[in-house]
Amino acid sequence: MTGLGAVFRPQLAPERLRAVSRAAEEAGLEELWLWEDCFREGGISTAAAALAWTERLRVGVGLLPVPLRNVAVTAMEAATLHRMFPGRAVLGVGHGVQDWMGQVGARAESPLTLLREHLVALRALLRAERVTSQGRYVRLDDVALDWPPQQAVEVFAGATGPRSLRLAGEAADGTVLTANTPPDGVRRARRLIDEGRAAAGRTGAHKVVVYLLAATGPDAAARVRAELVAEGVEHVPGLGAAGDAQDVAEAVHRLAEAGADTVILQPTGDEPDQEGFVRFAAERVRPLVA
């Protein structure tokens, strides 16, 4: 079955998260995803709060920008969430928006090298390994977690370009694709991810999560188009879904057929009713998604 979730966008004030998380839980939504966008809300702090306010909801963070984070801290925080809320936290890392990274003095000369080193070290630490690394960016000296996760956990990577998609297949357990990825883009991403997996000799499952810009209501089409125009992708076919539950479910199906394991509905930045949006996803779209 195709997984389905929704995004709590960081354009909303942090104090709104409690009500949205509880609405998602009560409606039966499977996953609520959060973003660590500069300079809005912290990914781990919001994830911990959403997990604590709910009992069943899976909470994803997509993504944590690795230039802002020492990998040992990322591992400590990830392990803590997985031990306190087993099976409910989903964490993804990425190289971050380079302009934002430059604003805080964390821009890397080689974002791909940094992401590779971070992924390798992070996954090893979460497997309870003792790690020594003298990489270009990640340097650890005999580091191991005192409280590693008690079960195997997945680490996702955000990727868009060919090299980062191959890296995700090689070094991550899953990939997160942005809402600017149409069905043909998902197929292309799957091929590149599989190339990376083959090069690394990996044969296990690799999950692909795709965001889908979506809106419902009388002004849905105008709101989706305005956001696509702002992103400069209004002429890319297959992006976004506007209309009723059937319209959105059909867009989810197209992404699933292209290779998405989970589709996360992304409301527009001006969504007027975030609680209503998560209920719409859970109660009206979910029954139509096989």
Side-chain angles (χ1 to χ4, degrees):
M1 177 182 288
T2 304
L4 189 72
V7 177
F8 176 89
R9 290 184 61 153
Q11 285 87 350
L12 292 172
E15 57 267 28
R16 292 286 308 283
L17 179 59
R18 182 173 184 171
V20 174
S21 299
R22 289 187 168 179
E25 172 104 336
E26 292 167 2
L29 188 68
E30 297 153 42
E31 300 186 9
L32 183 70
W33 280 67
L34 312 168
W35 297 347
E36 187 166 81
D37 273 3
C38 295
F39 299 95
R40 293 184 171 119
E41 296 156 6
I44 297 296
S45 55
T46 50
L51 288 162
W53 287 325
T54 57
E55 296 181 358
R56 179 202 53 79
L57 186 69
R58 282 167 57 87
V59 176
V61 181
L63 302 159
L64 299 170
V66 298
L68 296 181
R69 298 178 160 272
N70 183 286
V71 69
V73 175
T74 306
M76 290 161 58
E77 293 181 323
T80 300
L81 288 183
H82 283 293
R83 289 185 70 106
M84 291 194 300
F85 310 101
R88 294 179 55 211
V90 187
L91 299 182
V93 298
H95 52 57
V97 176
Q98 295 309 295
D99 287 346
W100 289 343
M101 299 303 101
Q103 283 182 268
V104 297
R107 188 167 189 159
E109 289 186 8
S110 178
L112 201 65
T113 299
L114 170 55
L115 182 57
R116 178 188 300 278
E117 293 179 0
H118 197 103
L119 280 167
V120 170
L122 177 59
R123 292 179 67 241
L125 288 168
L126 293 175
R127 291 193 300 265
E129 297 178 13
R130 187 168 294 276
V131 180
T132 294
S133 172
Q134 292 299 318
R136 181 174 178 182
Y137 297 103
V138 174
R139 299 182 181 181
L140 301 174
D141 182 9
D142 196 32
V143 175
L145 296 178
D146 283 1
W147 297 104
Q150 295 174 302
Q151 60 190 39
V153 300
E154 298 171 324
V155 176
F156 285 70
T160 52
R163 291 193 300 164
S164 59
L165 286 163
R166 292 189 185 98
L167 172 59
E170 175 187 341
D173 302 299
T175 301
V176 180
L177 302 176
T178 74
N180 291 344
T181 312
D184 284 347
V186 176
R187 294 186 183 91
R188 171 179 168 273
R190 271 289 188 188
R191 289 194 295 271
L192 292 165
I193 290 165
D194 287 343
E195 288 177 12
R197 294 174 67 222
R202 302 187 66 185
T203 57
H206 186 103
K207 297 180 181 178
V208 173
V209 175
V210 185
Y211 291 119
L212 171 65
L213 182 66
T216 190
D219 59 347
R223 288 194 287 118
V224 168
R225 175 165 177 76
E227 191 138 324
L228 294 176
V229 169
E231 289 287 320
V233 293
E234 70 273 20
H235 299 302
V236 177
L239 293 182
D244 61 15
Q246 185 64 51
D247 295 320
V248 175
E250 288 174 359
V252 172
H253 285 144
R254 289 191 289 270
L255 291 171
E257 290 169 355
D261 296 293
T262 299
V263 177
I264 306 299
L265 303 185
Q266 174 180 317
T268 59
D270 59 354
E271 169 59 51
D273 182 6
Q274 183 70 32
E275 291 87 347
F277 185 84
V278 298
R279 293 189 188 98
F280 168 75
E283 297 172 353
R284 299 180 60 189
V285 179
R286 170 79 271 180
L288 301 176
V289 176

